[in-house]
Amino acid sequence: MIVAEDDEKSAKKEETAEQEQAAEAEERAARSTTRQAQAMSGLFNRLMKSTPKATPQGGDRPLEFRQYSGLAIPLSLVIFGLLHWALKVFVYDGQPHTFLFISSFALFILAGFALAGSLERSRLSIALPMFIFMVWYSVYEGNIDPGFLAVFIPVAGAILFLPLLLTKGASAKPELIGLLPVLFFFLDLGLLPWLAEQFHWAVTGIIESLIVWTPWWAYFGVFTLPRKGWADVLKVIGVLYAVLLLVVPTTDFGHQSAQLPGFTELSAAQERVLQKIPKGENKAKSRFICLLEEPTNVEECFQKRQEDSLIKDICENDEQVDTGVLTFTECESRERERLQQEQIQVQGIEDAAIRQPTKAEFKVSDYFPQVTYRRADEDTTTTYPVDLKMDNPRELPLRLTFSCHFKKQGSDSTETNVSGTALPEQLTVNGKTTRTTLACTPDESLDGTYTLVYEALIIDGLQTHSRLKRAFIGEKTLSWKEEWIPKIRQAHFPGQEHLSKAPEEFAHINFAFGKTLEDPIIEQGSTLFLAATIENNFPNGKIISYDYELDLERLSSYVDNPACLRGSGTAPASDSSRAIYLPTCILTDLPPELGEDLGDELYLTKEFKATLSYQYAVKKEIRDVKVQVVQS
Amino acid sequence: MKLLPVVLVLFLLMALVACSSGPGDRLLQYNFKQGFNGLQFRLVENAPPQEVYPHADFTIIVELDNQAAYDVRDVWVRLLGFDEQYFLLYPPEQVVDDLAGRSLTAPGGDKRFVEFEGTSQELFPGAEEYVADYFIKVQYDSEMEFSDTLCVNPQLYAVYDAGCQVEEKRYNGQGAPLAITELEEVISSGTGVEFRLLLENKGRGKVKTATVGRARLGNDPLECEFSASGVDKRKQVFRAEEQEATVLCRKAFVGGQNSYTTTISVEFQYEYELVEQKELALVK
């Protein structure tokens, strides 16, 4: 009996233990399921939303947004952004370079991370629009064809809409914010210089500061730093820098529309504009020093410091000073006089009616021998070909000569040159389009890394015409002028039509005359002022010599200084990118047909032509041409 | 039953009378001297064509259509703003014969066509096109007559005068772009009455000058002048931005008159100008 009771008890114990085990197993399974569900939910939340909420049941720690420490990435962006800017402005001198493009792209990716961390948003929400835009811009080259957009936009929309749907609209803001790095990417590549060229902004003041002295990625990094004491100080410094830099007069804006530019176009525009902007002291630094030294006279102090630094920079790099033709002091006097002349700004715009300008372009083919090898005991030389494409729509009889040489930078910053022989040496162009291959052979064996410089000198036949419109109203009553001058301005001189126009060729003349250079309405009895400048359009080229003629027809008899209408000269060798100021003159009267003969009712418009005949040198530099010597 | 034919005949007569008044009769009743229409002009289609090629002849034809109720005289048509380097026009201005206004004899108004012959020149070297903006300016002299029936009450405070009521009036034009739009009557008890007429330009162009002509109140002459004019009070020079003026007409009372209804009529002569901007393209 006792044994049976014991057996029963042990059986019951076993049953209880089994039940307990089963219950435990169930509990474990339930906990595991809950954990898995929480993990999935947490993962989803991490991808789509901001910091997810803690799970309602206890046990597991709430998921935290740990991807970004909030400091490392933005700080890297600041430091590398500053380095990138310094390289761009001081080392590469504004010229486009593959390395700069790659570093800008890397900073672009970093900026996405920094932005996500700063705003505590998910990477995906911010990265999506960045990715879609870059695919459209780089893979599809910014295609705006309606047929293509009809497919691309719905697909892109669906991709962007999906997170919106899943997060119930919470990802809308991050997706929009994701376009900020795209904007900064374009700004760094050269969006502002491109806009300045397209809309003919006068590149002075605020525009110059934004183009030259603004480290865009560093700024982006500063404002994505987390809220810590020293990071806030950096932000304040950033704001102060912007205030000191940008407190300058604004410029007038142009009106033309433009198409979407590619990377190359942006970089080229940046290079061209940076070449034209004279280097001087950092404006923020000038302003800061003046605030300390002359707090009651900041503006005048600032202007003087800028002028002095500009002149110093020009004369330090002046060829005539280097060769001893001019002393430094003489150069300074010459530049001060030139700056005074530059107060007479003669502006011009591109002639939109001339859609095919004369131009020349060097193109490096894919088969260019960028890297070659030779044995040490051999004196073999490689021939380096490059294509020259010449557009000559007006079929001018052009004659060109070619030359080339190889530049090598030594370890002690000295430069050595190896001359080359270019073939053909000369070329005559008559047709509308000419393509030819130029070959450069070094005159001696090369060893190392060189920059190959091709130069095409157009020595004969090159001409560019400019035109300027004016309205002659004769002698009219005040009420006629009050009524008709606004009408004439609106009809004949909308936007910048009062400026002279020229095609975007190698160089051109800007000219203007009137009561003021900007006023296109010519009245009987006014004294008229005439001024003209020759401008070089391309930083990779230079004007060698020029002849100019301003055809004012019957007005030519009324100028006090005939030298302002025609003359010739050679361009200053020191700075080929600056304008050449031609003599000015005064017109004291008008011929009767442009004056009193117009009576009480009539007015007429007239276009005047200026012709620049010049010799021009076009240069092409091909960097990193390597010849490696192999020991036999 | 006997009356039925009579009624039928009467009904038919009435119907005949009512329905028989055709356009001619309506025209007889129509008052052309209302509204603000004036001389209008437009370019005849394809004259000039939208685009002209270098060294080509072309014609610019301006159609003038007088929709005012008055004749227009000394009509000048001018083409302004062409650059002779691109377009030669001969002559650049022409004078046109008078155009009759709308009336019973010419209900549609008078029309004229003015032709300008032109030749295009060469484009600027390298240019693909040149777009010339120009103005067509039409200038003319015309007249306008304002008349209305109104009440004159010399005795403002008469209690037992059961005559007419003086009221301020508004008008919808007299068939010309220059129009009297309001009339206000100001009575100085025992002295006289002053009529203040608001003269406004309601057309698309600009009025240059206006002169007050003959003015009568009933059979008596009325002295009218502009409220803000120069030496000659009967002539007003209008500025481009101010195209209205007030005309003051005064009449003295002959003692002890009661209120009465009479007609007022004032004639105006004016110079008017219409300007329109056009463009002509010279293409390669």
PDB file of all heavy atoms in Angstrom, chain A residues 391-403:
ATOM      1  N   ASP A 391      35.343  75.937 -85.158  1.00  0.00           N
ATOM      2  CA  ASP A 391      34.064  76.356 -85.739  1.00  0.00           C
ATOM      3  C   ASP A 391      34.241  77.760 -86.290  1.00  0.00           C
ATOM      4  O   ASP A 391      34.617  78.668 -85.556  1.00  0.00           O
ATOM      5  CB  ASP A 391      32.960  76.352 -84.667  1.00  0.00           C
ATOM      6  CG  ASP A 391      32.583  74.950 -84.268  1.00  0.00           C
ATOM      7  OD1 ASP A 391      32.673  74.056 -85.121  1.00  0.00           O
ATOM      8  OD2 ASP A 391      32.217  74.733 -83.097  1.00  0.00           O
ATOM      9  N   ASN A 392      33.954  77.925 -87.571  1.00  0.00           N
ATOM     10  CA  ASN A 392      34.173  79.204 -88.240  1.00  0.00           C
ATOM     11  C   ASN A 392      32.944  79.531 -89.085  1.00  0.00           C
ATOM     12  O   ASN A 392      32.986  79.535 -90.315  1.00  0.00           O
ATOM     13  CB  ASN A 392      35.438  79.073 -89.108  1.00  0.00           C
ATOM     14  CG  ASN A 392      35.825  80.363 -89.799  1.00  0.00           C
ATOM     15  OD1 ASN A 392      35.408  81.449 -89.400  1.00  0.00           O
ATOM     16  ND2 ASN A 392      36.612  80.238 -90.852  1.00  0.00           N
ATOM     17  N   PRO A 393      31.789  79.816 -88.447  1.00  0.00           N
ATOM     18  CA  PRO A 393      30.533  79.938 -89.202  1.00  0.00           C
ATOM     19  C   PRO A 393      30.536  81.080 -90.222  1.00  0.00           C
ATOM     20  O   PRO A 393      29.829  81.023 -91.209  1.00  0.00           O
ATOM     21  CB  PRO A 393      29.476  80.169 -88.120  1.00  0.00           C
ATOM     22  CG  PRO A 393      30.222  80.647 -86.938  1.00  0.00           C
ATOM     23  CD  PRO A 393      31.587  80.057 -87.018  1.00  0.00           C
ATOM     24  N   ARG A 394      31.318  82.119 -89.949  1.00  0.00           N
ATOM     25  CA  ARG A 394      31.333  83.241 -90.903  1.00  0.00           C
ATOM     26  C   ARG A 394      32.407  83.053 -91.976  1.00  0.00           C
ATOM     27  O   ARG A 394      32.657  83.945 -92.773  1.00  0.00           O
ATOM     28  CB  ARG A 394      31.563  84.551 -90.144  1.00  0.00           C
ATOM     29  CG  ARG A 394      30.308  85.061 -89.439  1.00  0.00           C
ATOM     30  CD  ARG A 394      30.568  86.323 -88.638  1.00  0.00           C
ATOM     31  NE  ARG A 394      31.299  86.057 -87.430  1.00  0.00           N
ATOM     32  CZ  ARG A 394      32.338  86.755 -86.985  1.00  0.00           C
ATOM     33  NH1 ARG A 394      32.778  87.786 -87.669  1.00  0.00           N
ATOM     34  NH2 ARG A 394      32.948  86.450 -85.861  1.00  0.00           N
ATOM     35  N   GLU A 395      33.033  81.874 -91.959  1.00  0.00           N
ATOM     36  CA  GLU A 395      34.045  81.512 -92.973  1.00  0.00           C
ATOM     37  C   GLU A 395      35.121  82.581 -93.100  1.00  0.00           C
ATOM     38  O   GLU A 395      35.457  83.043 -94.195  1.00  0.00           O
ATOM     39  CB  GLU A 395      33.373  81.219 -94.320  1.00  0.00           C
ATOM     40  CG  GLU A 395      32.468  80.002 -94.224  1.00  0.00           C
ATOM     41  CD  GLU A 395      31.761  79.656 -95.527  1.00  0.00           C
ATOM     42  OE1 GLU A 395      30.767  80.319 -95.840  1.00  0.00           O
ATOM     43  OE2 GLU A 395      32.209  78.723 -96.204  1.00  0.00           O
ATOM     44  N   LEU A 396      35.651  82.967 -91.949  1.00  0.00           N
ATOM     45  CA  LEU A 396      36.754  83.938 -91.954  1.00  0.00           C
ATOM     46  C   LEU A 396      38.016  83.217 -92.433  1.00  0.00           C
ATOM     47  O   LEU A 396      38.219  82.049 -92.117  1.00  0.00           O
ATOM     48  CB  LEU A 396      36.987  84.477 -90.532  1.00  0.00           C
ATOM     49  CG  LEU A 396      35.812  85.174 -89.862  1.00  0.00           C
ATOM     50  CD1 LEU A 396      36.111  85.385 -88.380  1.00  0.00           C
ATOM     51  CD2 LEU A 396      35.519  86.498 -90.546  1.00  0.00           C
ATOM     52  N   PRO A 397      38.872  83.913 -93.172  1.00  0.00           N
ATOM     53  CA  PRO A 397      40.125  83.281 -93.617  1.00  0.00           C
ATOM     54  C   PRO A 397      41.146  83.296 -92.488  1.00  0.00           C
ATOM     55  O   PRO A 397      41.896  84.254 -92.335  1.00  0.00           O
ATOM     56  CB  PRO A 397      40.555  84.174 -94.781  1.00  0.00           C
ATOM     57  CG  PRO A 397      39.951  85.499 -94.477  1.00  0.00           C
ATOM     58  CD  PRO A 397      38.732  85.298 -93.640  1.00  0.00           C
ATOM     59  N   LEU A 398      41.177  82.249 -91.686  1.00  0.00           N
ATOM     60  CA  LEU A 398      42.030  82.240 -90.494  1.00  0.00           C
ATOM     61  C   LEU A 398      43.328  81.501 -90.769  1.00  0.00           C
ATOM     62  O   LEU A 398      43.337  80.501 -91.472  1.00  0.00           O
ATOM     63  CB  LEU A 398      41.298  81.536 -89.343  1.00  0.00           C
ATOM     64  CG  LEU A 398      39.950  82.118 -88.945  1.00  0.00           C
ATOM     65  CD1 LEU A 398      39.268  81.212 -87.937  1.00  0.00           C
ATOM     66  CD2 LEU A 398      40.124  83.509 -88.366  1.00  0.00           C
ATOM     67  N   ARG A 399      44.384  82.018 -90.187  1.00  0.00           N
ATOM     68  CA  ARG A 399      45.676  81.346 -90.278  1.00  0.00           C
ATOM     69  C   ARG A 399      46.181  81.090 -88.859  1.00  0.00           C
ATOM     70  O   ARG A 399      46.205  82.005 -88.026  1.00  0.00           O
ATOM     71  CB  ARG A 399      46.653  82.232 -91.043  1.00  0.00           C
ATOM     72  CG  ARG A 399      47.769  81.468 -91.764  1.00  0.00           C
ATOM     73  CD  ARG A 399      48.302  82.260 -92.964  1.00  0.00           C
ATOM     74  NE  ARG A 399      48.752  83.585 -92.610  1.00  0.00           N
ATOM     75  CZ  ARG A 399      49.994  83.899 -92.220  1.00  0.00           C
ATOM     76  NH1 ARG A 399      50.897  82.964 -92.086  1.00  0.00           N
ATOM     77  NH2 ARG A 399      50.326  85.149 -91.937  1.00  0.00           N
ATOM     78  N   LEU A 400      46.550  79.834 -88.594  1.00  0.00           N
ATOM     79  CA  LEU A 400      46.985  79.458 -87.247  1.00  0.00           C
ATOM     80  C   LEU A 400      48.397  78.878 -87.290  1.00  0.00           C
ATOM     81  O   LEU A 400      48.778  78.224 -88.246  1.00  0.00           O
ATOM     82  CB  LEU A 400      46.068  78.389 -86.657  1.00  0.00           C
ATOM     83  CG  LEU A 400      44.623  78.745 -86.387  1.00  0.00           C
ATOM     84  CD1 LEU A 400      43.753  78.492 -87.597  1.00  0.00           C
ATOM     85  CD2 LEU A 400      44.086  77.925 -85.226  1.00  0.00           C
ATOM     86  N   THR A 401      49.127  79.115 -86.203  1.00  0.00           N
ATOM     87  CA  THR A 401      50.408  78.410 -86.017  1.00  0.00           C
ATOM     88  C   THR A 401      50.327  77.677 -84.690  1.00  0.00           C
ATOM     89  O   THR A 401      49.585  78.091 -83.787  1.00  0.00           O
ATOM     90  CB  THR A 401      51.604  79.382 -85.992  1.00  0.00           C
ATOM     91  OG1 THR A 401      51.428  80.284 -84.899  1.00  0.00           O
ATOM     92  CG2 THR A 401      51.718  80.158 -87.274  1.00  0.00           C
ATOM     93  N   PHE A 402      51.094  76.583 -84.591  1.00  0.00           N
ATOM     94  CA  PHE A 402      51.010  75.726 -83.402  1.00  0.00           C
ATOM     95  C   PHE A 402      52.375  75.552 -82.770  1.00  0.00           C
ATOM     96  O   PHE A 402      53.408  75.542 -83.454  1.00  0.00           O
ATOM     97  CB  PHE A 402      50.446  74.347 -83.778  1.00  0.00           C
ATOM     98  CG  PHE A 402      49.094  74.410 -84.406  1.00  0.00           C
ATOM     99  CD1 PHE A 402      48.945  74.238 -85.777  1.00  0.00           C
ATOM    100  CD2 PHE A 402      47.971  74.668 -83.647  1.00  0.00           C
ATOM    101  CE1 PHE A 402      47.699  74.316 -86.367  1.00  0.00           C
ATOM    102  CE2 PHE A 402      46.720  74.743 -84.235  1.00  0.00           C
ATOM    103  CZ  PHE A 402      46.579  74.578 -85.598  1.00  0.00           C
ATOM    104  N   SER A 403      52.358  75.405 -81.447  1.00  0.00           N
ATOM    105  CA  SER A 403      53.576  75.080 -80.726  1.00  0.00           C
ATOM    106  C   SER A 403      53.209  74.230 -79.519  1.00  0.00           C
ATOM    107  O   SER A 403      52.034  74.164 -79.144  1.00  0.00           O
ATOM    108  CB  SER A 403      54.294  76.350 -80.274  1.00  0.00           C
ATOM    109  OG  SER A 403      53.471  77.059 -79.376  1.00  0.00           O
TER     110      SER A 403
END
